[in-house]
Amino acid sequence: MTDEPIQTFENVWDALEETPEEAASMTLRSDVLTAIRTVVESWQTTQTQAAIRLGVTQPRLNDLLRGRINRFSLDALIGLAQRAGLTVHLEIERPAA
C-alpha cells in the first residue's frame, strides 16, 4: 500500500482529459449527447425513423445512442439537440474567489 494521496475529480472528464479545456468541452458534449439520447429513446420508434426525424443516417444515430462521443463535435450535437426539440443553454461563471 502506498501513502499517495487519493485524487478526486468533479466529473470523469476531469480525470480523463489532459487539460481543463478538453475536460470542459467533453463535459458539455456528454451533457448534450445524453439529453438527445433521452429524447430519442422517449420517441419509442425505430432507429431509422428517429434518424430521419433528426436528419442523420441510421449509423450516425447509432453512434450517438451508443455514446460514441468522440465522433461528434459540440456544434453537431447542438444541431441535433435543436432537431430533437431541445434548447441548449450555456452557463458561464467565474470561479469562486
Side-chain angles (χ1 to χ4, degrees):
M1 184 181 284
T2 65
D3 291 331
E4 293 181 32
I6 297 173
Q7 283 187 297
T8 59
F9 299 93
E10 190 164 325
N11 70 52
V12 68
W13 298 114
D14 291 334
L16 294 175
E17 294 302 320
E18 295 291 322
T19 66
E21 294 82 6
E22 291 170 344
S25 176
M26 292 303 288
T27 298
L28 289 172
R29 288 164 57 191
S30 66
D31 289 348
V32 177
L33 185 141
T34 299
I36 297 165
R37 184 172 44 205
T38 299
V39 168
V40 169
E41 289 171 352
S42 77
W43 292 341
Q44 296 182 345
T45 186
T46 67
Q47 279 192 17
T48 301
Q49 291 169 329
I52 290 167
R53 191 167 174 178
L54 291 175
V56 296
T57 64
Q58 186 277 327
R60 182 84 167 139
L61 177 63
N62 191 14
D63 286 341
L64 184 135
L65 295 176
R66 291 183 177 262
R68 294 182 179 132
I69 195 166
N70 288 327
R71 297 189 180 183
F72 295 90
S73 68
L74 184 56
D75 286 346
L77 289 166
I78 290 171
L80 288 169
Q82 290 278 297
R83 285 181 240 141
L86 298 169
T87 302
V88 177
H89 295 277
L90 175 65
E91 189 174 316
I92 301 171
E93 300 174 346
R94 286 182 179 232

